[in-house]
Each structure stands twice: as structure tokens, then as C-alpha cells.
Amino acid sequence: MLAATSKGDAEPAILYLADGTVFYGRACGATGTATGEVCFNTSLEGYFEVLTDPSYAGQIVTMTYPQIGNYGVDVDDAQGALGPTGSDASDHPRPALRALVVHDMCRTPSNWRSTVSLPDYLAQQGVVAIEGLDTRSLVQHLREHGAMQGIVSTEIFELDELAARLAAAPALVGTNLVKTVSAAVRRAYTAADLPEGRRFAQLPVDGARFNVVVYDCGIKRGILEGLVRAGCDLTVVPWDTPADEVLAMGPDGGMPDGVFLSNGPGDPDAVEATYTQVQSLLGRVPVFGICLGHQMISLAAGAQMEKLKYGHRGGNQPVMNLISRRVEITAQNHGFGLLFPSLGELVPELSGGVEAHPSDGDLRFWVERGVAPVVSNERFGRIRLTHVNLNDGTAEGIQLLDVPAFSVQYHPEASPGPTDSHYLFTAFTRLMGGDADYLDIDIAKDRLAGWQFATE
């Protein structure tokens, strides 16, 4: 019956989880076998940006939306790093994720920008994919039992062999995946590198006002574009570049105006070569970190991380900004989070008179009180909690009050996702410009900056 439809003669495929749970389906990408941590993404669109996000290295991604691929693929939307040279050959690198899981894969896309169907792209890139299984049941299982190791195969169906292969696969915790996705050499990224295809909707970029060094831990193109559109010329460096070299990368060998710490995959504790450099940078130059970069700042301050049960992945995560009291709908992709109390003891006079951290660790305690609490950190002085996830009460952002630095756990670039958090790029430029109230921004107004709209 399938042979008479757009599905064609699909080969069988299997997903086997570490706890022995099995899902059967059909192949819809490359043939082969792949192991990784099985997680899920709740975005309703933007599957190609998700697929090409380097932060998914080491993972098998399940899309919760039922049909994926209906608008095809335009490779110009790829979010992977530019590669070590920035040459044409490395413009669209292979996706970093291990495999893709969907309920229904569309093989006949409808979109004027599409150049290839998603299953054909997956096959070209060597990405194993499976469709036809009950993704609702799979996601419910992961929510109840947590993200776990799994194996997807189109060639092995003996459960004992799948279990043996999975047992021999490396675990996500303790593995440094950043070094597998970071560029190998330094490169520049300026307004001249912005994509031509979006100029019909975006205003021209004014001249750059700041020189920023970007640690590439698996950075997305959308983040580079967001920084450039905010007025920055960028020097992108490998994940383990020494701090002393970074501090000499400004104009004429002087200090740069700021340092940006990018997103990236996997266990933050395994990326010691980055957060030890951040220790040397904090207090000497303005620093802004997102996602893994947020975790690098936190670890540099001596904080502890926790592995979240199933992480935050999708473009619909609600976050309370404790300073503005505005709720942002954010795009996120991470499986680890900051334990805010590990940064230090509360400063009661700066924390609404509260003397002790909430015993259950739920930071929505501060949302209910309308307080942005401050702790005393042994290394960098006062640190304020600025953002809280409203779904689970985890930390989503911090601000160092005695050194020029701040960070958020989510992505402000909207590739894919909402534009609520665009103001963070503006905040970084204000920090570099010496504005003490750099986070005091009209979020609603800022999110419209840089776009051109029809007047008739």
C-alpha cells in the first residue's frame, strides 16, 4: 500500500532505548546505525535550523510536531558553524546530531525557497532517520523517565545486538562534544558576511561600533548575524583559545570591546579549557554568554551544574525577566542547568530581606515575590539572578554586578524561535558602551529593530 503513495517502498527502522523500550518504524533518511542521547524538541517549525544546530551533537532528536518536512529545505538556512576557513566548501557542514525521529516525514514539500526535500537532504548528509512511530508515546516516556541513551538502526533488528552496541557507546555526561563542532582556526565575521536572501525583510546594517571576540563552542549563524546587526565586527576563535590571546585581538593589538561566549553541545563540566579562560577574562573585558556560554560563566564563578531530567528544547519556553517583570517566550536547547544557590549565599538586603535559598530549589519563589535575588560570590562579588524558567523554576540568566558580565541559558537569535529576546544583543552593546543600566530595555520595541515593514 505504501508503495502507491509518496512514501514509496520505505525500509524498516527501529529505535531502541537504554531501558529496553522499543519503537518500530520506517527509514526516512540515510541507512545505517546511530547512537546518542534521545531527547525531544517542541518547536512547531524551524526543523531545518534544529537539524543543523551544532548544539545537538551527540543526540538523537525527536520532533514533537506530527509532520516534519512540509516546507522542504533551503540550505542557506543552515545554522552550523562556517567551518575553519569560511570557504564555500564549508558553508553548509554536515549536521552534528546523530539521528532524527519524526512521526510523519513529508517527501513532497511545498515552498518556493525549497531546493531539496528533507528526507533527500538527510540521505545526502548521512543522517539516519526514522518515521512512523508514535512520537507522543516516546515523548511521554522521556518525560517520565528522563532523556536516555538510544540507538536508531535501519540494518540491525536483533534486540540483543542493539543493546550491546548501545552499552558500548560513549555516554553524553563527561564527554567534551564542543571540540567536535568548534572551528579549528580564527576567522572574521562582519556585515559583509550577512546572507543576501534576507535583505528584502531586514534593514541595512549601520557601521560597526564594537570589536568583539567570539568563542566558537558550536555557534549558530543566526547568533553571528544578531551580533553583527547590533553593531559588532566579530573575530571568531576556537573553543580553547587562551585568554591572553583574546585580550590582544582588538584593533592594533589592543583590547577588544567585548567577548561573547556561544552556545554549544553536551556536558559543560567537560569543557574546562573554555571556562578556565573565562575566569581570566571576567573583570578585564565585558562578557556576554548564552546557553553553554552562560554555563561557562557560571562554572568560572565556581558554580555547580545539574543534568536536567529531559532538558529544555524548543521555541516556546516561557521565561520571567525578574528585572523588567516581562515574560519572554524563548528558544532553548540544553540538557544541563545552573544550580543558582551554588554561586553563594544570599545578600538579604539585596534579596527582599530573604536570608536563605528556597529549600526545594524552585526559583519561581522569586517570581512570586517580584525579587531579583543577589548572592555573594567568592570569586567575582555580587551576582544577581535575572531570569527564571516558568515551567520548572530553573535558572535562566545571571548578571555579575561587580564585573561587566551577564548571561542567559537560552537563544536570543530566533533561528528558529520568537524574537522576544533580541534585546539581549542590544544589552551587550550597551554594556560595552559603559551603560550601567544596560539591561533596562523596552523589550517590545527592541524586538522590531532592524526589520522593514510595508507602509501600504
Side-chain angles (χ1 to χ4, degrees), residues 366-425:
W366 302 108
V367 174
E368 295 170 357
R369 285 156 180 77
V371 173
V374 176
V375 299
S376 178
N377 181 260
E378 292 183 357
R379 298 179 181 177
F380 298 111
R382 299 168 300 160
I383 299 180
R384 171 186 288 151
L385 177 69
T386 56
H387 298 78
V388 172
N389 189 296
L390 294 179
N391 281 341
D392 61 8
T394 54
E396 292 280 4
I398 58 174
Q399 177 188 18
L400 280 64
L401 300 180
D402 296 316
V403 301
F406 73 111
S407 61
V408 293
Q409 182 62 79
Y410 50 94
H411 290 221
E413 86 289 347
S415 295
T419 60
D420 295 28
S421 305
H422 176 273
Y423 74 96
L424 293 165
F425 292 123

Side-chain angles (χ1 to χ4, degrees), residues 5-75:
T5 72
S6 62
K7 298 292 185 185
D9 293 316
E11 297 294 325
I14 188 172
L15 168 62
Y16 179 88
L17 300 181
D19 65 358
T21 305
V22 181
F23 293 87
Y24 294 95
R26 301 181 300 274
C28 57
T31 58
T33 301
T35 62
E37 183 183 70
V38 183
C39 62
F40 60 89
N41 184 293
T42 57
S43 293
L44 303 185
E45 50 79 35
Y47 54 79
F48 184 58
E49 291 89 340
V50 170
L51 180 69
T52 55
D53 181 351
S55 292
Y56 280 113
Q59 294 184 310
I60 296 172
V61 180
T62 304
M63 300 300 296
T64 62
Y65 193 73
Q67 186 180 69
I68 299 297
N70 57 341
Y71 55 85
V73 167
D74 182 347
V75 293

